[in-house]
Amino acid sequence: MLRIGHGFDVHAFAEGRRLVLGGVDVPCERGLAGHSDADVLAHALMDAVLGAMRAGDIGGLFPDTDPAYEGADSLVLMRRVAELARERGYRILDVDCTVAAQAPKLAPHRDQMRANMAAALGVPVDAVGVKATTTERLGFVGREEGIAAWAVALLDDGR
Ligand code: MG
């Protein structure tokens, strides 16, 4: 049977941080605040996969109260999510993501984000979609206060 999952995440901009999106260090004068590397795109995608597995969310799996995840590389966590899916008999078939950021321009980094997350999930690159949009200067994204990401994941539950 096919299972669908959805994920959503937001992180606020912060001075003196790297901007990591889909495992890519995006050149930017600011990064995102967070306990881990604050990779908002990877977080949304992990939640989509966990959602399809009905396995809770990354907050439950990798609590931000646990010092083990301080500064954590979110793609390492994504590998663990993919392992968990395989252990439970799921196959990740297809995922798609949207990142909303007013700045910086993300299109030049899209293919590297796809490649990084495909490798972490153990799926072909063409099974991972990444799209970027601005919000036409509207809302918290438009005011450049933070970045939001959404993702969907389609999994075969092996039953
Ligand atoms: Mg997050």
Side-chain angles (χ1 to χ4, degrees):
M1 188 171 160
L2 298 180
R3 301 282 185 176
I4 192 162
H6 176 259
F8 171 64
D9 197 23
V10 169
H11 282 257
F13 275 115
E15 301 294 333
R17 297 263 308 174
R18 296 153 63 211
L19 178 60
V20 183
L21 293 171
V24 176
D25 254 291
V26 178
C28 187
E29 64 279 12
R30 295 181 300 168
L32 295 174
H35 186 68
S36 66
D37 62 5
D39 187 334
V40 64
L41 172 58
H43 294 182
L45 182 49
M46 283 190 273
D47 267 357
V49 172
L50 290 169
M53 296 164 60
R54 314 296 185 247
D57 55 36
I58 54 169
L61 213 54
F62 312 116
D64 64 6
T65 49
D66 187 336
Y69 302 119
E70 193 171 341
D73 178 341
S74 293
L75 290 191
V76 171
L77 305 183
M78 189 178 287
R79 263 174 214 281
R80 306 236 315 251
V81 167
E83 275 165 24
L84 188 68
R86 279 190 287 276
E87 280 166 22
R88 295 189 183 178
Y90 291 90
R91 196 158 66 92
I92 300 168
L93 299 177
D94 209 54
V95 303
D96 190 33
C97 317
T98 302
V99 194
Q102 193 61 46
K105 279 249 173 293
L106 299 180
H109 307 289
R110 216 166 35 198
D111 286 342
Q112 190 60 53
M113 293 174 188
R114 294 176 60 213
N116 290 349
M117 296 196 292
L121 292 175
V123 301
V125 177
D126 75 357
V128 179
V130 173
K131 306 173 303 302
T133 185
T134 70
T135 61
E136 302 289 344
R137 303 222 154 264
L138 295 170
F140 70 88
V141 169
R143 292 189 297 271
E144 300 186 28
E145 294 167 6
I147 294 181
W150 295 259
V152 288
L154 190 68
L155 274 61
D156 185 325
D157 72 5
R159 288 177 279 275

